[in-house]
Amino acid sequence: MSQQKLKLKRILFFDSGVGGLSICQAVKKINPDVEPVYLFDNECFPYGEKSESFLISRVRAILDAAVKKFELSGIIVACNTASTVALPDLRDHIKLPIIGVVPAIKPAAALSKKKIIALLATPGTINRKYTQELIRNYASDCKVILIGSAKLARIAENRLTCGNVDETEVAGVLSEITELPDSERPDVIVLGCTHYPFVADVIHKILPDCQLVDSGIAIGKRVDSLFAGETMLPVEVDKIEHKAFYLGELQNYDDRFKMFEHFGFTSLSRFSLDDAI
Ligand code: DGL
């Protein structure tokens, strides 16, 4: 029995879909005392091609409601597409620690021996000023190949929900790399969308010589340092609640619920923005 004395941190993981579960897994590995509340905006999935102004107001409305409804210690915006545009606005308006997930350009540039890296992300993330700045600040010594895919998040979402993945579709997304001669290919690929770790094995099969880098471990460490030294509450790790919430109508509820159970969640309920007001 794991009657360990740990501090309880109730953290909201927010994404457009199931991608944030890759961040949740990485966070829980380093911080077993985190009580995750997982909230996803299935109503507006995918976020990849939505306008910046839409995303800023949508994400603020959802997170405002979530702060009213759940007693949170902090929020992780477990979505690169939302983080790269909405973080300043969220931090201005919500008085809780907010951790954003952004593409791991800095570690990728440091890892690359060829000094050629690729960023695989949604079209929104690729086009952001924030992403351009990350590249300018941390990868100025690298050639950076930008691949914006509107499809890959959905491929990953379907894989988690229904179990199947069309490898030729993934190969199509990666053709910009596979068509290059060996000398011009990247040796490191940044998975700049939280959905992509769920198709990392397929990407690796297509590009076995590329190292894949995502943001999961860095976010886990960030949570650890952010909440270090907080008051300890007695809590049994295996009694920590794992609740997930969706917005609007959810297709394939039973399959989704099974998938969330697989990640340790015990409930999957509808969250209405009105409930919280
Ligand atoms: N998981 C999200 C990200 O990290 C995006 C998926 C979407 O297009 O909604 O960017």
Side-chain angles (χ1 to χ4, degrees):
M1 255 302 263
S2 43
Q3 173 71 59
Q4 301 170 28
K5 284 210 163 188
L6 293 166
K7 51 189 182 291
L8 186 66
K9 308 156 189 164
R10 183 178 297 142
I11 295 183
L12 182 85
F13 291 77
F14 172 73
D15 185 30
S16 56
V18 295
L21 287 169
S22 67
I23 299 295
C24 184
Q25 261 185 326
V27 167
K28 287 284 293 185
K29 206 175 259 180
I30 305 178
N31 308 270
D33 52 338
V34 159
E35 182 185 290
V37 177
Y38 194 89
L39 173 60
F40 62 107
D41 187 8
N42 52 296
E43 210 167 35
C44 291
F45 176 87
Y47 274 3
E49 292 183 295
K50 301 273 189 301
S51 76
E52 297 199 348
S53 55
F54 172 82
L55 287 176
I56 291 171
S57 56
R58 175 79 181 167
V59 174
R60 166 124 72 105
I62 295 171
L63 296 189
D64 268 345
V67 169
K68 285 187 191 130
K69 169 106 178 161
F70 309 107
E71 239 176 80
L72 300 169
S73 326
I75 296 174
I76 299 180
V77 182
C79 173
N80 294 260
T81 312
S83 292
T84 49
V85 67
L87 281 178
D89 177 79
L90 295 172
R91 288 188 173 133
D92 276 353
H93 291 95
I94 297 176
K95 298 297 160 223
L96 276 179
I98 301 178
I99 298 175
V101 176
V102 300
I105 296 287
K106 190 178 177 182
L111 265 178
S112 173
K113 293 198 172 63
K114 282 170 104 173
K115 293 298 161 198
I116 308 174
I117 65 174
L119 169 61
L120 193 57
T122 65
T125 299
I126 293 288
N127 291 324
R128 300 269 190 266
K129 224 167 92 192
Y130 187 95
T131 304
Q132 307 304 327
E133 271 166 28
L134 275 182
I135 293 172
R136 210 176 28 249
N137 292 340
Y138 300 115
S140 55
D141 58 341
C142 292
K143 179 173 180 208
V144 183
I145 301 168
L146 300 171
I147 304 178
S149 171
K151 273 196 205 159
L152 200 50
R154 192 179 287 283
I155 295 172
E157 185 92 10
N158 286 345
R159 183 187 213 182
L160 277 199
T161 312
C162 317
N164 41 35
V165 59
D166 183 344
E167 295 190 9
T168 53
E169 252 194 306
V170 180
V173 173
L174 298 174
S175 62
E176 279 181 57
I177 297 176
T178 50
E179 281 165 6
L180 292 170
D182 266 359
S183 61
E184 289 173 31
R185 286 191 189 185
D187 55 352
V188 181
I189 300 180
V190 180
L191 302 182
C193 168
T194 54
H195 279 72
Y196 299 172
F198 295 122
V199 286
D201 57 323
V202 183
I203 297 172
H204 181 69
K205 201 165 141 193
I206 298 164
L207 290 164
D209 296 331
C210 291
Q211 201 166 337
L212 306 180
V213 174
D214 65 56
S215 309
I217 293 173
I219 301 297
K221 289 184 181 161
R222 180 82 190 102
V223 169
D224 186 37
S225 68
L226 194 63
F227 294 99
E230 294 226 327
T231 327
M232 306 287 261
L233 294 174
V235 61
E236 284 177 48
V237 174
D238 48 12
K239 293 230 171 88
I240 291 177
E241 291 191 317
H242 288 56
K243 292 182 175 171
F245 297 86
Y246 59 90
L247 287 147
E249 298 306 314
L250 188 66
Q251 309 276 310
N252 308 321
Y253 179 90
D254 292 344
D255 292 334
R256 292 268 187 171
F257 182 57
K258 261 189 234 140
M259 189 270 297
F260 272 97
E261 271 189 315
H262 173 78
F263 283 89
F265 285 81
T266 48
S267 68
L268 174 61
S269 327
R270 184 166 189 270
F271 177 68
S272 158
L273 297 186
D274 305 327
D275 288 353
I277 297 162

